[in-house]
Amino acid sequence: MRYENYIDGQWCEGADYLTNLNPSDLEDVIGDYAQADVAQTQAAIVAARAAFPAWGDVTPQQRFDVLDGAGSLILARREELGRLLAREEGKALPEAIAEVGRAGQIFKFFAGEALRLSGEILGSVRPGLNVEVTREPLGVVGLITPWNFPIAIPAWKIAPALAYGNTVVFKPAELAPGCAWALIDILVEAGVPKGVVNLVMGRGAVVGQALSESPLIDAISFTGSVQTGQRIAAACLPLRKKLQLEMGGKNPMVVLDDADLDVAVEACINGAFYSTGQRCTASSRLIVTAGIHDRFLAAMLERMERLRIGNALAADVDIGPVVDAAQLRKNQEYLEVARAEGGQVHGGEVLELDTRGFFMRPALVIGTEPHMRVNREEVFGPIASVLKAKDYAEALALANDTEFGLSAGICTRSLSYASHFKRHVQAGMVMINAATAGVDYHVPFGGRKHSSYGPREQGSHAREFYTLVKTTYLNAGLP
Ligand code: NAD
């Protein structure tokens, strides 16, 4: 079946089509998805521009109705959309269904935010004046998303964009357009007016680049790799576009001598390997102090043996396939590099299962040193390395020894260490006795250093990006 782009209230044929395959079973074709060219992308931008004045002026109730309706439709179709997500991205079914649920809740949350948007009234320092601080929609936003959360990330960008009165041109990742298409179909059903949301599936270098370079787009919100983020920034900054970039991670999980071993192992297994390690918040560096190091390793390796790897749709599977052949190759290359640099690799074998797919065992690389590539570069696969630290101070220094700063975790029973770590680790999100991945939908999400640029996503903090602030001085002429 063919799936079209959605521009100015119409489903439109693409300049070309890309086949979407199931990474658990390459015989399973999900569909052919339209690929926009530059001209079609420009048409979507013009449509969003034309729709902006009216959508920017509708009542909060009208925005609430569309967003709340979309949230209800997503939640009602949670199981079916979860299957689609597991099929196209390879996330194990329970995680896929949970992600769809989260997308539904995000729409409900931002429906409420449309009603809650408030300003401030202050007295002036000058007699006779009052000061109002209000927020206005910022205009047309270009949204560019990765494949690894193919419904949650589009939801956490589209919902606030619409709640605060902006119009949208949305470009999902090439590898997972199915959930994006379904989400737009739902928004249409929920009554989003023509031109307010436009879907342009297609190649990053074509569609994404055209969005970044367009003077008719006021802001870009992007999630993806650092390299692409830098390219987008280079195109946007000369045009003074507002920018929000969420990029890679090399997230540390510190395990101290006094940690509850079971809690630490579960947090590390989940954080490092669930969703096949394909999470920007994945724990890819496990920093373990000397007193617990050997016991921790033994328990991790034993727990890894029990992980069930297989078809993402199967009931008894913990970890699905890697997303595609290129990522599987990249993962294996990193394991080779880690071996060559002196690390010992446990697991990581490519698996041949009943269906043809991109399966591999999760890998733990032990005996690593901070300078090794596996400790410096984001792999984006089910691979974690172990660094041994002599004490808490060294563990904290290692945690911060990275150009990234998205999420950081610590497993300890000590309130003092937990409190010190919370204050001094250089990350946007801190997890204490919990996996570095897995976040709530109603609070800010984002990082520091090379991981993020611009205001936070999600929660009421999303308004910092999706609105413009205006300060008004009012002389009412009263004595
Ligand atoms: P990617 O950078 O390859 O692609 C992301 C999006 O950018 C895609 O839609 C792609 O088509 C588009 N793109 C590619 N080239 C472009 C260009 N020149 N101009 C504009 N757009 C372009 O990333 P990916 O492989 O899809 O996703 C994996 C990456 O995403 C990892 O680095 C991961 O850490 C990151 N990620 C970050 C977060 C976060 O919130 N920090 C969340 C999820 C994923």
Side-chain angles (χ1 to χ4, degrees), residues 64-78 100-109 111 183 186-187 190:
F64 174 94
D65 289 343
V66 169
L67 295 170
D68 189 61
S72 298
L73 289 166
I74 294 167
L75 292 173
R77 292 173 55 186
R78 191 193 298 235
V100 175
R102 181 168 163 205
Q105 299 295 3
I106 287 169
F107 272 91
K108 296 262 173 198
F109 175 83
L183 183 55
I186 282 174
L187 276 162

Short mmCIF file of all heavy atoms in Angstrom, two decimals, residues 64-78 100-109 111 183 186-187 190:
data_model
loop_
_atom_site.label_atom_id
_atom_site.label_comp_id
_atom_site.label_asym_id
_atom_site.label_seq_id
_atom_site.Cartn_x
_atom_site.Cartn_y
_atom_site.Cartn_z
N PHE A 64 -7.52 23.10 22.26
CA PHE A 64 -7.73 22.00 23.21
C PHE A 64 -8.49 20.87 22.53
O PHE A 64 -8.13 19.70 22.64
CB PHE A 64 -8.52 22.51 24.43
CG PHE A 64 -8.90 21.41 25.39
CD1 PHE A 64 -8.09 21.13 26.49
CD2 PHE A 64 -10.05 20.65 25.20
CE1 PHE A 64 -8.42 20.10 27.36
CE2 PHE A 64 -10.38 19.62 26.06
CZ PHE A 64 -9.57 19.35 27.14
N ASP A 65 -9.56 21.22 21.83
CA ASP A 65 -10.42 20.18 21.24
C ASP A 65 -9.64 19.30 20.26
O ASP A 65 -9.78 18.07 20.28
CB ASP A 65 -11.63 20.81 20.54
CG ASP A 65 -12.62 21.39 21.53
OD1 ASP A 65 -12.54 21.04 22.73
OD2 ASP A 65 -13.46 22.22 21.12
N VAL A 66 -8.83 19.92 19.40
CA VAL A 66 -8.06 19.13 18.42
C VAL A 66 -7.05 18.23 19.14
O VAL A 66 -6.94 17.03 18.86
CB VAL A 66 -7.33 20.06 17.42
CG1 VAL A 66 -6.34 19.27 16.59
CG2 VAL A 66 -8.34 20.78 16.52
N LEU A 67 -6.32 18.82 20.10
CA LEU A 67 -5.26 18.05 20.77
C LEU A 67 -5.82 16.96 21.66
O LEU A 67 -5.33 15.83 21.67
CB LEU A 67 -4.36 19.00 21.58
CG LEU A 67 -3.57 20.00 20.74
CD1 LEU A 67 -2.91 21.05 21.62
CD2 LEU A 67 -2.52 19.30 19.90
N ASP A 68 -6.86 17.29 22.39
CA ASP A 68 -7.47 16.30 23.28
C ASP A 68 -8.10 15.17 22.46
O ASP A 68 -7.97 13.99 22.80
CB ASP A 68 -8.53 16.98 24.15
CG ASP A 68 -9.04 16.05 25.23
OD1 ASP A 68 -8.22 15.62 26.06
OD2 ASP A 68 -10.25 15.74 25.21
N GLY A 69 -8.72 15.55 21.34
CA GLY A 69 -9.32 14.54 20.45
C GLY A 69 -8.25 13.62 19.89
O GLY A 69 -8.41 12.39 19.85
N ALA A 70 -7.13 14.20 19.47
CA ALA A 70 -6.04 13.38 18.92
C ALA A 70 -5.51 12.44 20.01
O ALA A 70 -5.25 11.26 19.76
CB ALA A 70 -4.92 14.27 18.39
N GLY A 71 -5.36 12.97 21.22
CA GLY A 71 -4.88 12.13 22.33
C GLY A 71 -5.79 10.94 22.57
O GLY A 71 -5.34 9.80 22.75
N SER A 72 -7.11 11.18 22.54
CA SER A 72 -8.07 10.09 22.76
C SER A 72 -7.97 9.05 21.65
O SER A 72 -8.01 7.84 21.92
CB SER A 72 -9.51 10.63 22.80
OG SER A 72 -9.65 11.52 23.87
N LEU A 73 -7.83 9.51 20.40
CA LEU A 73 -7.74 8.57 19.27
C LEU A 73 -6.46 7.72 19.38
O LEU A 73 -6.48 6.52 19.12
CB LEU A 73 -7.76 9.33 17.94
CG LEU A 73 -9.11 9.95 17.57
CD1 LEU A 73 -8.94 10.96 16.43
CD2 LEU A 73 -10.09 8.87 17.15
N ILE A 74 -5.37 8.36 19.77
CA ILE A 74 -4.11 7.60 19.91
C ILE A 74 -4.27 6.54 21.00
O ILE A 74 -3.91 5.37 20.82
CB ILE A 74 -2.93 8.55 20.25
CG1 ILE A 74 -2.66 9.50 19.09
CG2 ILE A 74 -1.68 7.75 20.59
CD1 ILE A 74 -1.73 10.66 19.44
N LEU A 75 -4.83 6.96 22.14
CA LEU A 75 -4.95 6.01 23.26
C LEU A 75 -5.89 4.86 22.90
O LEU A 75 -5.64 3.71 23.26
CB LEU A 75 -5.42 6.74 24.52
CG LEU A 75 -4.38 7.71 25.09
CD1 LEU A 75 -4.97 8.52 26.24
CD2 LEU A 75 -3.12 6.98 25.56
N ALA A 76 -6.95 5.17 22.15
CA ALA A 76 -7.89 4.10 21.76
C ALA A 76 -7.22 3.10 20.82
O ALA A 76 -7.62 1.93 20.77
CB ALA A 76 -9.11 4.73 21.09
N ARG A 77 -6.22 3.55 20.06
CA ARG A 77 -5.54 2.66 19.09
C ARG A 77 -4.16 2.23 19.56
O ARG A 77 -3.30 1.85 18.77
CB ARG A 77 -5.44 3.39 17.74
CG ARG A 77 -6.79 3.60 17.08
CD ARG A 77 -6.69 4.47 15.84
NE ARG A 77 -5.74 3.97 14.87
CZ ARG A 77 -5.39 4.62 13.75
NH1 ARG A 77 -5.95 5.79 13.48
NH2 ARG A 77 -4.51 4.11 12.91
N ARG A 78 -3.95 2.28 20.89
CA ARG A 78 -2.63 2.02 21.47
C ARG A 78 -2.02 0.68 21.02
O ARG A 78 -0.87 0.61 20.64
CB ARG A 78 -2.83 2.03 22.99
CG ARG A 78 -1.59 2.04 23.82
CD ARG A 78 -1.95 1.73 25.25
NE ARG A 78 -2.83 2.70 25.86
CZ ARG A 78 -2.56 3.36 26.99
NH1 ARG A 78 -1.44 3.13 27.62
NH2 ARG A 78 -3.41 4.20 27.51
N VAL A 100 3.40 4.43 22.49
CA VAL A 100 2.17 4.99 21.90
C VAL A 100 1.32 5.62 23.01
O VAL A 100 0.78 6.73 22.86
CB VAL A 100 1.38 3.92 21.14
CG1 VAL A 100 0.06 4.49 20.64
CG2 VAL A 100 2.20 3.38 19.96
N GLY A 101 1.23 4.93 24.14
CA GLY A 101 0.47 5.48 25.27
C GLY A 101 1.03 6.84 25.69
O GLY A 101 0.28 7.79 25.95
N ARG A 102 2.33 6.91 25.70
CA ARG A 102 2.97 8.17 26.08
C ARG A 102 2.63 9.29 25.07
O ARG A 102 2.35 10.42 25.47
CB ARG A 102 4.48 7.95 26.13
CG ARG A 102 5.26 9.14 26.54
CD ARG A 102 6.67 8.68 26.82
NE ARG A 102 7.58 9.78 26.83
CZ ARG A 102 8.88 9.65 26.57
NH1 ARG A 102 9.38 8.47 26.28
NH2 ARG A 102 9.66 10.69 26.62
N ALA A 103 2.61 8.93 23.79
CA ALA A 103 2.25 9.93 22.77
C ALA A 103 0.83 10.45 23.03
O ALA A 103 0.57 11.66 22.94
CB ALA A 103 2.38 9.34 21.37
N GLY A 104 -0.08 9.54 23.35
CA GLY A 104 -1.46 9.96 23.64
C GLY A 104 -1.51 10.90 24.84
O GLY A 104 -2.19 11.94 24.81
N GLN A 105 -0.76 10.55 25.89
CA GLN A 105 -0.77 11.41 27.09
C GLN A 105 -0.16 12.77 26.81
O GLN A 105 -0.59 13.78 27.36
CB GLN A 105 0.03 10.73 28.23
CG GLN A 105 -0.52 9.38 28.68
CD GLN A 105 -1.90 9.48 29.31
OE1 GLN A 105 -2.49 10.55 29.37
NE2 GLN A 105 -2.42 8.36 29.76
N ILE A 106 0.84 12.80 25.94
CA ILE A 106 1.48 14.08 25.58
C ILE A 106 0.44 15.00 24.93
O ILE A 106 0.35 16.19 25.25
CB ILE A 106 2.69 13.85 24.65
CG1 ILE A 106 3.85 13.24 25.44
CG2 ILE A 106 3.12 15.14 23.96
CD1 ILE A 106 4.99 12.71 24.59
N PHE A 107 -0.38 14.45 24.02
CA PHE A 107 -1.41 15.29 23.39
C PHE A 107 -2.41 15.79 24.42
O PHE A 107 -2.84 16.94 24.38
CB PHE A 107 -2.10 14.53 22.25
CG PHE A 107 -1.37 14.72 20.94
CD1 PHE A 107 -0.37 13.84 20.55
CD2 PHE A 107 -1.65 15.79 20.12
CE1 PHE A 107 0.34 14.03 19.37
CE2 PHE A 107 -0.96 16.00 18.93
CZ PHE A 107 0.04 15.12 18.55
N LYS A 108 -2.78 14.91 25.38
CA LYS A 108 -3.72 15.34 26.43
C LYS A 108 -3.09 16.46 27.28
O LYS A 108 -3.75 17.43 27.63
CB LYS A 108 -4.06 14.15 27.34
CG LYS A 108 -4.80 13.03 26.62
CD LYS A 108 -6.27 13.13 26.87
CE LYS A 108 -7.04 12.15 26.05
NZ LYS A 108 -8.45 12.51 25.94
N PHE A 109 -1.81 16.27 27.63
CA PHE A 109 -1.14 17.28 28.47
C PHE A 109 -1.13 18.63 27.77
O PHE A 109 -1.47 19.67 28.36
CB PHE A 109 0.30 16.82 28.77
CG PHE A 109 1.09 17.85 29.53
CD1 PHE A 109 0.98 17.96 30.91
CD2 PHE A 109 1.93 18.74 28.86
CE1 PHE A 109 1.69 18.93 31.61
CE2 PHE A 109 2.64 19.71 29.55
CZ PHE A 109 2.53 19.80 30.92
N ALA A 111 -3.03 19.66 25.36
CA ALA A 111 -4.39 20.20 25.24
C ALA A 111 -4.65 21.11 26.44
O ALA A 111 -5.10 22.25 26.31
CB ALA A 111 -5.40 19.06 25.18
N LEU A 183 0.03 9.21 12.78
CA LEU A 183 -0.21 10.33 13.69
C LEU A 183 -0.88 11.50 12.94
O LEU A 183 -1.82 12.13 13.45
CB LEU A 183 1.14 10.78 14.29
CG LEU A 183 1.12 11.89 15.32
CD1 LEU A 183 0.19 11.57 16.47
CD2 LEU A 183 2.54 12.13 15.85
N ILE A 186 -4.45 10.75 12.27
CA ILE A 186 -5.24 10.96 13.49
C ILE A 186 -5.53 12.45 13.70
O ILE A 186 -6.65 12.83 14.06
CB ILE A 186 -4.50 10.34 14.70
CG1 ILE A 186 -4.71 8.83 14.69
CG2 ILE A 186 -4.94 10.96 16.02
CD1 ILE A 186 -3.93 8.06 15.73
N LEU A 187 -4.54 13.29 13.45
CA LEU A 187 -4.77 14.73 13.63
C LEU A 187 -5.83 15.24 12.65
O LEU A 187 -6.64 16.10 12.99
CB LEU A 187 -3.46 15.50 13.45
CG LEU A 187 -2.60 15.55 14.71
CD1 LEU A 187 -1.16 15.92 14.39
CD2 LEU A 187 -3.19 16.55 15.72
N ALA A 190 -9.03 14.29 13.98
CA ALA A 190 -9.37 15.10 15.16
C ALA A 190 -9.78 16.52 14.77
O ALA A 190 -10.15 17.32 15.63
CB ALA A 190 -8.18 15.15 16.12
#
